[in-house]
Each structure stands twice: as structure tokens, then as C-alpha cells.
Amino acid sequence: MKQFLRNSALVLFCFLAISVIYHSALPYHAGSNQYSNQLNELKKYKANIVLFGSSRTYRHINPLLLDSLMAPLSTKSFNMAPSGCFGPESYYLLENFLKNSDVPSIEFVLLELQGLEKHDNINKASSRANYWIHPSSLPWLFAYIKQANYKQIDKKNHWRWHYLELLLYGYLSSWKIGYFLPSGNENYTGKAGHKSFKDEMTSENAPEYAKRKLQFSRDTIRLRNRIQAAKFADQFEPSSAAQIPALHKKLCQLDSLAKLRGIKLYYHIPLRLEENEYRQLLPVAEMLPADRLISLYSYSENKELYTRDISFDAGHLNEKGTRLYTVKLAEKWKALLQNKKVDVISPAK
Amino acid sequence: MLFNSLAFVLFLPLVFFIYWGLKRYGFRTQNIFLLISSLFFYGYWDWRFLSLLLLSIFIDFIAGKKIEQADSTSQKKGWLWFSLMGNLGILLSFKYLDFFIGSFATLLENLGFSPNITSLNIIFPIGISFYTFQSLGYTIDVYRAKAKAESNFLTYATYVSFFPQLVAGPIERAGHLLPQFKRIRHFNYSEAVVGVRMILLGFFKKMVIADGCAKHVDYMFEHHNELNGSALLLAGFLFSIQIYGDFSGYTDIAIGTARFFGIKLNKNFSYPFFSRNLSEFWRRWHISLSSWFRDYVYIPLGGSRYGKQKTLLNILIVFTISGLWHGANWTFVLWGLLHGLLYTPLIFFNPKSQNSRSIIGANKRITLTETLGLIGTFSIVCLLFILFRAQDLGQATAIYSGIASSSLWQEPLYFPLPTVVLALIFLGFEWMKRRETFSAQTIGSSWPLVLKILGCALVIALILALSFERQEFIYFQF
């Protein structure tokens, strides 16, 4: 028995050693075909601004429109936000993007502030959901979970187990040669990294998006909940709320890395979040430099961004909404870049 | 719980350590622990169906005891019927009721009636075909005085529910497996190493070969109307490899896992694709099931004792029931029946081959007749497996029509080269190793320990790397 256990342990050790060597040789984005494609395009595009974040950044910010609005500033933006990208993954991608110095022309990064989210069971075992997680991610994730209060994150053990599961799935799925094969989602890059829902409705995935649009048209509750959450955020006193030092520390790390590369890191708080997401983000946003923070989530200031006619679903804007959002973002960002205070300006038609 | 799941990877070592840790408390304690683990293993899929498993165990435990205690043959027969009705009742209700209801409704429609019959949508409990047959085999053996009735309920329950073979066989005989639960088991290093080899081989067959073929087979059958004859024939070939990889792989894992616990299960596959005729094929494919049907259906029906006509009838009955056992669909019935029809000439015209037990080319040079026999048998098996995979008779007919057309001689419209190459390499590997009990029996056996350990780790990595199952990320919600 001892001989068997010893040899089994040696096999396991060998496998882990091979695993570590193999994983260290993988590019940091192996597993996310969409991001890999976006990165390849970015290298040819030679942008000076990149956007990182979730589907809210991916769908809501049109880089070509942004550049036209940022004139006379000579911006050339590229949207690097992959669809379905949750907070930890987004920060992981930016961190490695900055470390790898892949694109020397970058001067600015706009990062969407994100809290923690959980993948659905249907996606957990997909490499796209778990490629980003490594043992080194766990300390800050667990610290975040511990520091968040129950209004920000509840059922903490479920969260811990969720990330451990992702880690295990990640190691298993990363072995598959299929990991590197093109997936059916290769065409996500769109124009300058952005793909609108309108474009999706003419793609091979159109039936699924049509179904989603139909579901939203029959649903009155979810958008109302998002509006309630935005109203809550308007009233929310961040200084009185629980701070999540782990999140602040992560953002400071990213900022330091950016500075080392000579890049200026800007942040934006997306709109149409759920209440517990605002509870996680607003306290940390208070601690960020005000001249590098863009907020358009406020319901009282941006009612027009919460109407049904510009919505694709409760959490996302349609093409009309994207245009409006990009215009407002450009106004604020341009003002920050030119070091001016922003007045409320009517959106351009 | 499936073997190729994260849960099993965590489950097995835990059970292994606790099992051998309990050795000092005796084999009965180990049995209780194995029983609990097996029930957990089965209940992990759906705890509600544990009741069916326990019901089957209970019925046959009581039946076995009563049969042995019975004074008269009629009493023994009565308890045997109790067991038969109980087990077959469970099997018929959960596996075949919807099928018979649907078939009856179709028949009425064809006769001009408009029946208003609703399907019951009964969930099919995993492994039910296997454990009911194993349990039935026990009562029949007790009835025939070939096995003694088990007096200890927990030992009997462990025998039926033993998790490695619970959901996909091999279907064990009481005389072979039950005694192993009634004696002290010792951990044997060599046996455990055999177990490791079989498990790795099993995972390779299942996750790399079978799953690799599966995605192409699914596509080809779904789009069969768009494919030409040669592609459809290729689909039959790939499905044959898939089902072999899947089933024999699962069995290898089962047998290998059992070795970890000091339990030996019977072999279930013996290089069936290298058979010279169908008779040999059925002695090499799903051996535990074919021998079960031989011993508990064919022989009680009379076997070959009552003349050629009766023998022919018995063979057709056995193969048809065997087909139905595999699935509740007319395609399975037809599959079994056709195998029976093609099998029968061998009984009458080729008696010598019945005695051939050694694998082709094992002891002497391969003759031209044997080569032709091998190619012919493999072709028939692949063609008939199309029925096994087809959704219904309509789809099967369409595929056979396609194969029988002139497009058979065209270049296949769908040709997954890497998968075909892998399948051929796999067949070639099995061919080279056909003289061994299982194909990974001796690989690296003469290597130094360091290479063996490294080789084992690399095989695990290779299995993970080559397993084609790649779960797509559902983007549409974002």
C-alpha cells in the first residue's frame, strides 16, 4: 500500500509539475478567443486608448464614434472589453495587458469598475469562464469576499467554493487542445473591438439575441429594478458604507502598473447595475482620483439612459442608447482630459 | 455520478482511503462502507431512484432466501416468479412503458383510430437494465442451486450496488462476485497497478476516442440528408468506434476501479472488432450480457437441443430481446433481430468456428479466409450500428438508402480527418496488443520506475489534452 501511495503521489506531483510548466508557457489570454482576437486586431490598429470592462463597455462604447467626438484630441480608441467578462477577469486581463507591453502606442486606458459576479452553472466548465483564474488570484478574491459585508455579498462560502471550482475547471479545461481551436464566437471583434446588438441581430447568433429581445419586451420588472438601484445609488453615502480594501488595492496595483508604462488609467462606473454592485463599487470609487473617474450611472442626471426605447434589455443599451452613452462619455472624458468642469450638454443627434 | 466527472475524481480517492482504513474492523465493515458509498454514488445522479435500486435489492434478497428455504418446486417457482415480476416490472415500467404506449398509439393511428393517449414522460433511471439483470441472475442461480442464497442483507446489497459496475456493467454473476464480498480483501500492489492501467485506458477510450467521434457522428446523423453515401458509411464507422470506446472504456474504468478495492470483475470486451464472424463477435462484445442471455434466456428456451427450427427461433428471440434491452425503440429491436438473422447461418454452416477461442493471428499466421471474415464482420457490425444510433426507422432507412446509392463511391462530403486518423491509430494499437488481456496491460512494464511515473503523468495530460469535449461559453445572456 505504501509503495502504491508513494508512486501515486509521485505521479500526481509529476503531473502538477508538467501542469505548472505548461500553464506558464500559455499566453495569459489563452481560453478567451474573443479577447485574443481583439488583441490581434489592436496590434494592427495602433490605438492610443483602450477600453477594458464587461459587456457594458463592449456594447455601450462605440470607439469610432468616441474618437469623432473627442476631436480635436487625436484619440484612436479600441474596445478590448470581451462580452461576459466579470470583474476579476477584467482586472486580470488589464494587469497582464500592462505587464506584457503588447501595444506600445497606448496612452490611456478606460477601465470599467466591476465587483464580483458568479458564472452560471452552464458556463462554469467552459474555458472562457475559468482560464483567467490562478492560485495567485485566490488571496485577493478571498480577501474581497471576507471584507465585503452581507449587503454587498452574501453566502460567502458559496463564493469561495465558486472560485475554487473555477480554478479546478480551469486547470482541467486548459489542457484541451480544443482550448486553442477557434470557437464559433470568433467574430466578436466588430469595428475597433465593438459590436452592437444591431450587428448581432444579423449574425449567426441572431435567433438567440432575438429571443433575448423578446423576453425583455415582455418583462417590466427587471428594468424597474435597475432604475430603483440607480436611484438608490444617487442617495447612497459612500463614506458611510463598508469599504472593500482588497478592491481598492487591486485598482491601485493596476494604476501603478499603468504608470510604469506611462499610461494614464481612467475609470468609469457603468450604469444599470444592481443595488449590491453599487454598494461594492461606490465606496471604492470615492477613494479614486476624481479627475480620473467618469460616472454616468446617476438616474437623476441621466434619466434618458434608463428608458425602454434605448434598451436592448434591462442591463444593456441598444444602438440608439449606445450612441447616447458614447456621446455623454465623450463629453465628460474630453472635459477631464482638457482639465475643464463639465456642463450638462444636450446629446448630439 | 459519472466516471468522467470532477465529482468522481474527488470521490474515488476518498472512498479508497476510508475503505482501506476500515480494513482493521473487518470485511463486513468495509462492505457497509462500500454500500454507503455506492448508494451515494448512485444517488448523486438522482436520489429519488435509490428507492428503485433498494426495492430491486430487497425483492431478490427475500426471493433468494425463500427459494432456498422452500420445500417444494412449486414454492421455489413461485418465489422465482416473484423475483421475475418484481424486477421485470420495474424495468418495464421505467424503461419501456412510454415506448409501448407510443407504439400502441401509432398502431391505432395506422388502423384509422384517433387515440388520445398521453405519454407519461417517465424518467429513465440510469443503470436499471444492469442492476435488475444482475439481481435477477442471482435469484435464477439460487433457484437452479448454482449459488447459495445470501443470508446477510448488507452483503447482498453491496453485491448488487457495488458502484464501479452499477451503472454500466459488467453484469456480474453471484457465483463470481458475491463470494468476494464475504472474505477479507487484501491490498495488492500489482492488482492496483493493473487497475491504474485499466482506468487510464478507459478514460482514453471514453474521453479521447469516443467523445472525439461523438461530435462528428452527432453532426453527420443530424445532417444525414445533406451527406452522400460515403460520408454516411463513414458515420457508421465512426459511430462503431464511438460506442466501442464509450462502452469498453467505461467497463475498463469499472474493472480498474474495482481492483483498487481488491475486487475482480469479469472481462466484458475482448477485441470484438477483430472477430472473424458474428458468432465470435458476440463472444467478444459485451460478454457479460451475451452470456447472461445465453444462460438465462436461450438455454431455458431449449437452446439447440430441440432441432434446427427451434434453435433458429430461440436465437431470433434472444437477439430481439437483447436488442430491446439496449433501448426502447424499434431501431434497437430491428438491430437485434438483424444480428440474429445474420447469426443463424453460422450455427448451421460453420460449426468449427464456434470453437475458435483465440484471437485472430494469435497462434498462427492469418489466412485469407480469416482476413476476409474480419473485414466482412467489421463491415456488417458497422452497418448494423447505424440502426443503433438512428433516431427512428425513418432516419435509418434514409441513411441506408444513401449508402446504397451511387454516391457511395464519391469522395465523402464530410470527412473529419483528425478524428478518422485517431480512430485508425486506435484500432491499429488494439490490433498490435490483441494478444494481451487488455491493450494497456504491458505498456512500459519494463521501464524504470522514474519513466513509468513520468509516463503515467504524461498519459493523464494527454487524455486531458486530446479530449475533444469543449464546452461552449453561452454568450447570449451578455
Side-chain angles (χ1 to χ4, degrees), chain A residues 1-19, chain B residues 17 189 196 448-460:
Chain A
M1 172 70 88
K2 277 185 191 160
Q3 188 184 7
F4 180 72
L5 290 175
R6 185 198 69 209
N7 290 344
S8 300
L10 286 171
V11 168
L12 194 61
F13 175 77
C14 262
F15 174 71
L16 288 172
I18 295 168
S19 185
Chain B
F17 282 119
Y189 176 77
V196 168
L449 183 64
V450 167
L451 275 181
K452 280 182 187 171
I453 287 170
L454 193 59
C456 207
L458 282 171
V459 166
I460 297 170

Side-chain angles (χ1 to χ4, degrees), chain A residues 23-41:
Chain A
H23 281 93
S24 64
L26 288 178
Y28 70 90
H29 47 81
S32 174
N33 280 341
Q34 184 183 348
Y35 179 86
S36 302
N37 291 330
Q38 284 166 311
L39 186 62
N40 284 338
E41 277 220 15

Side-chain angles (χ1 to χ4, degrees), chain B residues 221 224-225 227-229 232 386 390 392-405 407:
Chain B
F221 273 77
H224 66 273
N225 286 325
L227 299 178
N228 56 3
L232 293 171
I386 289 171
D392 48 49
L393 291 175
Q395 189 185 59
T397 309
I399 290 172
Y400 284 132
S401 302
I403 291 171
S405 70
S407 63

Side-chain angles (χ1 to χ4, degrees), chain A residues 255-266:
Chain A
D255 195 42
S256 304
L257 267 173
K259 276 189 181 128
L260 276 173
R261 291 273 321 277
I263 294 172
K264 276 206 112 169
L265 185 57
Y266 283 77

Side-chain angles (χ1 to χ4, degrees), chain A residues 263-281:
Chain A
I263 294 172
K264 276 206 112 169
L265 185 57
Y266 283 77
Y267 311 92
H268 75 105
I269 304 175
L271 76 167
R272 301 193 177 205
L273 297 179
E274 292 179 9
E275 188 181 303
N276 65 328
E277 290 175 289
Y278 286 122
R279 285 182 185 275
Q280 292 174 53
L281 297 178

Side-chain angles (χ1 to χ4, degrees), chain A residues 111-329:
Chain A
L111 172 67
E112 176 187 330
L113 289 185
Q114 290 175 266
L116 293 191
E117 283 176 81
K118 271 196 256 178
H119 280 287
D120 289 338
N121 284 336
I122 201 171
N123 280 332
K124 261 194 303 201
S126 156
S127 55
R128 173 64 178 72
N130 52 48
Y131 74 96
W132 57 271
I133 191 165
H134 296 271
S136 57
S137 321
L138 292 180
W140 94 263
L141 285 170
F142 282 21
Y144 188 125
I145 292 165
K146 188 180 176 185
Q147 291 158 8
N149 68 22
Y150 281 92
K151 285 191 174 176
Q152 292 164 327
I153 290 174
D154 66 350
K155 295 181 186 170
K156 292 176 188 245
N157 282 334
H158 285 202
W159 285 90
R160 289 183 186 109
W161 177 239
H162 178 74
Y163 287 117
L164 285 171
E165 252 192 304
L166 287 186
L167 182 67
L168 207 47
Y169 277 127
Y171 264 109
L172 292 174
S173 63
S174 69
W175 278 104
K176 295 186 187 18
I177 282 176
Y179 196 69
F180 305 101
L181 293 175
S183 74
N185 302 317
E186 261 191 301
N187 298 326
Y188 264 65
T189 49
K191 296 163 193 151
H194 163 74
K195 192 170 185 181
S196 68
F197 284 115
K198 190 178 172 188
D199 291 334
E200 295 288 9
M201 298 299 274
T202 54
S203 73
E204 59 189 9
N205 302 314
E208 291 297 333
Y209 285 100
K211 202 162 86 176
R212 191 168 143 194
K213 199 176 170 189
L214 184 65
Q215 275 169 353
F216 175 64
S217 67
R218 292 172 180 164
D219 171 34
T220 53
I221 296 170
R222 291 182 73 184
L223 180 57
R224 203 172 346 133
N225 288 343
R226 299 299 168 108
I227 292 171
Q228 288 300 113
K231 284 179 181 171
F232 161 81
D234 278 340
Q235 311 289 329
F236 187 65
E237 279 297 329
S239 52
S240 64
Q243 180 56 263
I244 303 176
L247 178 56
H248 183 240
K249 189 176 169 189
K250 175 58 71 181
L251 294 173
C252 289
Q253 276 172 356
L254 293 172
D255 195 42
S256 304
L257 267 173
K259 276 189 181 128
L260 276 173
R261 291 273 321 277
I263 294 172
K264 276 206 112 169
L265 185 57
Y266 283 77
Y267 311 92
H268 75 105
I269 304 175
L271 76 167
R272 301 193 177 205
L273 297 179
E274 292 179 9
E275 188 181 303
N276 65 328
E277 290 175 289
Y278 286 122
R279 285 182 185 275
Q280 292 174 53
L281 297 178
L282 295 182
V284 83
E286 275 288 294
M287 300 183 63
L288 297 173
D291 61 346
R292 286 197 276 134
L293 179 66
I294 303 167
S295 303
L296 288 167
Y297 67 85
S298 168
Y299 182 74
S300 54
E301 291 172 18
N302 303 289
K303 278 196 179 70
E304 64 275 33
L305 289 174
Y306 286 89
T307 56
R308 278 192 92 86
D309 68 314
I310 62 158
S311 304
F312 182 80
D313 60 26
H316 297 90
L317 305 171
N318 60 19
E319 181 119 335
K320 196 171 158 193
T322 295
R323 187 175 174 76
L324 182 57
Y325 187 85
T326 307
V327 164
K328 283 178 165 274
L329 180 87

